[in-house]
Amino acid sequence: MSLKHGLLGLLNYGSMTGYELDKAFKDSLNFFWQAQTSQIYRELNAMEKLGWLTSEVIFQTNKPNKKQYSITPVGRSELKNWLNKDIPDNEFQIRSVFLMKLFFSGERSFDESVIMLKNYKNNCMDAMASLYGTNSLIELYQPYVDKTHKAVYWKLTADFGKSYFKMCLDWADRTIKTLEESL
Amino acid sequence: MSLKHGLLGLLNYGSMTGYELDKAFKDSLNFFWQAQTSQIYRELNAMEKLGWLTSEVIFQTNKPNKKQYSITPVGRSELKNWLNKDIPDNEFQIRSVFLMKLFFSGERSFDESVIMLKNYKNNCMDAMASLYGTNSLIELYQPYVDKTHKAVYWKLTADFGKSYFKMCLDWADRTIKTLEESL
DNA sequence: TGGGTCATGTAACCTGTTACATGATTAG
DNA sequence: CTAATCATGTAACAGGTTACATGACCCA
């Protein structure tokens, strides 16, 4: 149940509509968690039923009406609880279609494997580039987060990403060499 | 649809029962893909309906009967097809409850964050240790894989894991230091 | 006599994905 | 005129998780 808690964490910074949450989510948590817009709306409904949120309809002229969600005390204590609960071991596991394909690459040609690895490198480079762009996002959102030092944690997650993709690129280079030498 | 293809890949090495597949899966693919036993049985049924597999009941005395699955030509071509199909971009994304908690760690104390990071390090060390154990598994399974060089790809995926967990440990050390200095 | 191995599942549930629907306003 | 932004969803499906069920054999 992490998507719910991610939304809870964002609403803890301030009340927002589903639409705004969707954008905030995609600007911040998206690098380590993904969610479809439709899923966000569904979860917000469920969370309201759980009593974690309340909603208020805001009428607008010239624009569609909107529904603003606010975190409740119950929601806030749920967030703290979740934060301090141990993460189960299986949450640390890797899930990678890419590695699964590599595992079975004995079933195809050397060239096809190398093409996949080169595509992989391109993906990593793109992901890394977008992480270097988060610095400006962090500054953009900083005023909305009450205590400034909280942004430190955002930066730490971004650092993880940078280290991760760098490691992937290095590994891919070594792997391509290993394959070339095994010919 | 990667679990189906993982099972297909294993059955491509030789016919097996659900029970044997479950064990082979957990000995090999488990580091980058996870599946419950019940899910494996369910998927085998679905794959048979798709015509990717055939099954044959083997009667046994003193032991429960078993059902052996064999890959069909359709299944084999599905496997090759899947291997050479491009991996969609979203398959490269990270999903990490751990990073989500770190992101929101401004909501809790410094000590609690550090405890989480130390737990994380322990998890990484365990995972790394179990990867160093795969070498013997690779040798164990090698006779079952027709062409010996296929084990190269298994080793490459294990190398990824080792690099990954090493990177995680280094990052966690740096992160703990950063947090200590920010006090 | 208790726990591990062998062997196969069902049912309910939760989460995530894909496709679709609507419709006004505003900036280039 | 056309694309983006604002704003909220529903429905169907796919995939993964959890809990439960059964029962014999074998070894310590």
Side-chain angles (χ1 to χ4, degrees):
Chain A
M1 276 224 287
S2 286
L3 175 54
K4 283 189 181 67
H5 293 92
L7 296 172
L8 217 44
L10 292 177
L11 284 171
N12 185 46
Y13 295 144
S15 299
M16 275 183 270
T17 66
Y19 189 76
E20 287 165 332
L21 264 169
D22 185 51
K23 275 191 297 176
F25 191 96
K26 276 156 189 161
D27 277 345
S28 55
L29 314 188
N30 205 234
F31 141 64
F32 49 75
W33 206 269
Q34 301 82 43
Q36 253 50 52
T37 304
S38 61
Q39 203 189 348
I40 290 178
Y41 282 108
R42 187 173 59 179
E43 292 300 286
L44 286 171
N45 263 308
M47 290 161 75
E48 200 177 358
K49 273 182 195 145
L50 286 168
W52 298 358
L53 309 178
T54 52
S55 67
E56 189 194 352
V57 176
I58 297 176
F59 295 93
Q60 298 189 116
T61 48
N62 292 1
K63 281 183 186 177
N65 295 337
K66 56 188 186 178
K67 208 162 144 192
Q68 197 171 46
Y69 289 95
S70 305
I71 192 167
T72 63
V74 180
R76 213 161 250 130
S77 85
E78 174 60 37
L79 177 64
K80 300 270 161 85
N81 246 288
W82 170 77
L83 269 176
N84 289 324
K85 208 171 55 190
D86 272 358
I87 301 171
D89 287 3
N90 62 1
E91 295 286 359
F92 295 105
Q93 289 173 325
I94 292 175
R95 240 173 223 262
S96 165
V97 177
F98 165 74
L99 288 177
M100 187 136 105
K101 288 201 183 187
L102 184 65
F103 186 93
F104 290 117
S105 288
E107 304 307 311
R108 59 172 167 177
S109 73
F110 167 81
D111 289 337
E112 284 161 338
S113 304
V114 172
I115 288 170
M116 184 180 75
L117 282 160
K118 288 187 175 166
N119 279 338
Y120 178 68
K121 283 185 61 184
N122 287 331
N123 260 282
C124 292
M125 286 186 279
D126 289 351
M128 191 137 78
S130 81
L131 273 172
Y132 278 96
T134 55
N135 292 334
S136 53
L137 273 176
I138 294 175
E139 277 155 41
L140 181 70
Y141 277 96
Q142 202 152 64
Y144 301 101
V145 181
D146 51 344
K147 287 164 202 151
T148 310
H149 76 272
K150 287 181 186 175
V152 168
Y153 292 98
W154 190 344
K155 278 180 194 150
L156 292 173
T157 62
D159 285 344
F160 179 92
K162 291 168 195 166
S163 305
Y164 174 68
F165 291 115
K166 171 142 194 350
M167 173 253 125
C168 291
L169 285 170
D170 292 345
W171 168 85
D173 283 331
R174 289 199 312 273
T175 300
I176 291 170
K177 258 186 211 153
T178 306
L179 287 179
E180 275 165 356
E181 280 161 14
S182 77
L183 271 187
Chain B
M1 279 223 288
S2 285
L3 175 55
K4 283 189 180 68
H5 293 92
L7 296 172
L8 217 43
L10 292 176
L11 284 170
N12 185 46
Y13 294 145
S15 300
M16 275 182 270
T17 67
Y19 189 77
E20 288 166 331
L21 263 170
D22 186 50
K23 276 192 298 177
F25 191 94
K26 275 154 189 161
D27 279 344
S28 55
L29 314 188
N30 204 233
F31 139 66
F32 49 76
W33 205 267
Q34 300 84 42
Q36 253 50 52
T37 305
S38 60
Q39 202 189 350
I40 289 177
Y41 282 108
R42 187 174 56 177
E43 293 299 288
L44 286 171
N45 263 308
M47 289 161 75
E48 201 178 356
K49 273 182 197 146
L50 286 169
W52 298 0
L53 310 177
T54 52
S55 67
E56 189 192 354
V57 176
I58 297 176
F59 295 94
Q60 297 188 117
T61 50
N62 293 358
K63 280 184 187 175
N65 295 336
K66 57 187 186 178
K67 208 162 142 190
Q68 196 171 47
Y69 290 94
S70 305
I71 192 167
T72 62
V74 179
R76 213 160 251 132
S77 84
E78 174 61 37
L79 177 63
K80 301 271 162 82
N81 246 288
W82 169 76
L83 270 176
N84 289 325
K85 207 171 55 190
D86 272 359
I87 301 171
D89 287 3
N90 62 358
E91 296 286 359
F92 294 104
Q93 288 172 326
I94 292 175
R95 240 174 224 260
S96 165
V97 177
F98 165 74
L99 289 178
M100 188 136 108
K101 289 200 183 187
L102 184 65
F103 186 93
F104 290 117
S105 287
E107 304 307 312
R108 59 172 168 178
S109 73
F110 167 80
D111 289 338
E112 285 163 338
S113 303
V114 171
I115 288 171
M116 183 180 77
L117 281 160
K118 288 186 175 168
N119 279 338
Y120 178 68
K121 282 184 62 183
N122 286 331
N123 259 283
C124 292
M125 286 186 279
D126 289 351
M128 192 135 78
S130 81
L131 274 172
Y132 278 96
T134 54
N135 291 334
S136 53
L137 273 176
I138 293 174
E139 275 155 41
L140 181 70
Y141 276 96
Q142 199 151 69
Y144 300 101
V145 181
D146 50 347
K147 285 164 205 152
T148 310
H149 76 272
K150 288 180 187 174
V152 168
Y153 292 98
W154 190 343
K155 280 179 193 149
L156 291 174
T157 62
D159 285 344
F160 179 94
K162 291 167 194 167
S163 306
Y164 174 69
F165 291 116
K166 170 139 197 351
M167 172 254 124
C168 293
L169 285 170
D170 292 344
W171 167 85
D173 283 331
R174 288 198 313 271
T175 299
I176 291 171
K177 258 186 211 152
T178 306
L179 287 179
E180 275 164 355
E181 281 161 15
S182 76
L183 270 186

